[in-house]
Amino acid sequence: GNFKIEIQKMKRCILLLLLFFVGVASYAQTNKEEAAKLKKILKANHPKDMYKYAEYLLINKPNGFEKDLETAIDLYKKAAEQDYIPALMALADFCVTSDNLDQVYLGFKYLMEACDNLYPTACEILGRIDYKELKEKGITTEFRNWLWNEFENAKDPYLRPNRYKALRDSYRKALAE
């Protein structure tokens, strides 16, 4: 429902920004080889392999950005179901970047799951939240900016700096108007 619509909106924004900032690169691998590789990874059901392949898809985009983003998110989710920390953190980062509050809350869910698995960065970010203010005011523009900055400046191996900076900047600009 809402999650699919949000992903589609987010994909369009990210696609436009990436086309503008990064440009389009072509890669020699065929869709058939990619499909076989994906099938093998899914069958093996190893979260580390799913995470690495999701990262590969997002960096190289062999099947086109939209299709690869959707596949990468699905792979992150499958790895996260097995409590794989890198996938939980990648999903948290992706979801809190959204301009949809339901997605931001979903990002918190993934962040809490990472903390439940004793991942320090997740617990540190959650520990710095002013829950009293969050309860009183909800997710405000200021809180969202604070949260984005926490993710951008975490110096965490699974939270690549500036991964969603262009998208976040576009949201900041829209909120300011």
Side-chain angles (χ1 to χ4, degrees):
N2 274 350
F3 188 72
K4 280 224 182 263
I5 292 168
E6 183 59 26
I7 284 181
Q8 288 173 341
K9 281 180 21 187
M10 194 176 253
K11 284 192 287 189
R12 272 187 245 120
C13 288
I14 293 171
L15 177 62
L16 290 172
L17 291 167
L18 282 177
L19 289 173
F20 180 73
F21 291 112
V22 179
V24 180
S26 62
Y27 294 86
Q29 294 171 330
T30 66
N31 288 341
K32 191 175 181 182
E33 289 170 341
E34 291 301 322
K37 192 184 290 184
L38 178 61
K39 189 174 180 180
K40 183 179 176 185
I41 287 170
L42 290 173
K43 187 176 180 191
N45 200 32
H46 294 298
K48 184 177 182 178
D49 293 340
M50 288 186 260
Y51 172 80
K52 283 185 169 187
Y53 192 63
E55 291 286 296
Y56 161 79
L57 289 174
L58 290 177
I59 292 166
N60 295 302
K61 301 173 260 328
N63 306 300
F65 180 73
E66 286 200 28
K67 186 174 189 323
D68 287 333
L69 176 62
E70 197 171 309
T71 303
I73 296 298
D74 288 342
L75 287 167
Y76 285 148
K77 285 181 182 177
K78 286 180 187 337
E81 287 168 6
Q82 297 180 51
D83 291 331
Y84 189 62
I85 297 295
L88 289 167
M89 294 302 286
L91 285 167
D93 194 16
F94 179 75
C95 291
V96 301
T97 298
S98 175
D99 63 348
N100 177 308
L101 290 182
D102 290 340
Q103 289 300 303
V104 176
Y105 285 115
L106 186 60
F108 275 119
K109 174 188 165 285
Y110 289 120
L111 196 60
M112 284 186 248
E113 286 180 27
C115 183
D116 288 346
N117 284 283
L118 306 178
Y119 190 63
T121 302
C123 296
E124 289 164 10
I125 292 171
L126 290 169
R128 285 192 288 271
I129 292 173
D130 182 344
Y131 288 98
K132 183 179 178 197
E133 185 176 334
L134 183 61
K135 185 177 181 184
E136 289 172 8
K137 297 181 181 176
I139 295 177
T140 62
T141 301
E142 293 79 24
F143 177 78
R144 185 172 290 158
N145 278 322
W146 174 86
L147 188 60
W148 290 345
N149 287 330
E150 286 289 310
F151 275 81
E152 290 293 331
N153 299 314
K155 304 223 183 323
D156 183 270
Y158 309 122
L159 297 174
R160 285 197 314 256
N162 303 318
R163 183 191 321 218
Y164 301 119
K165 183 180 183 334
L167 184 60
R168 289 175 179 156
D169 287 348
S170 75
Y171 287 153
R172 285 183 180 111
K173 186 178 177 187
L175 289 169
E177 291 173 356

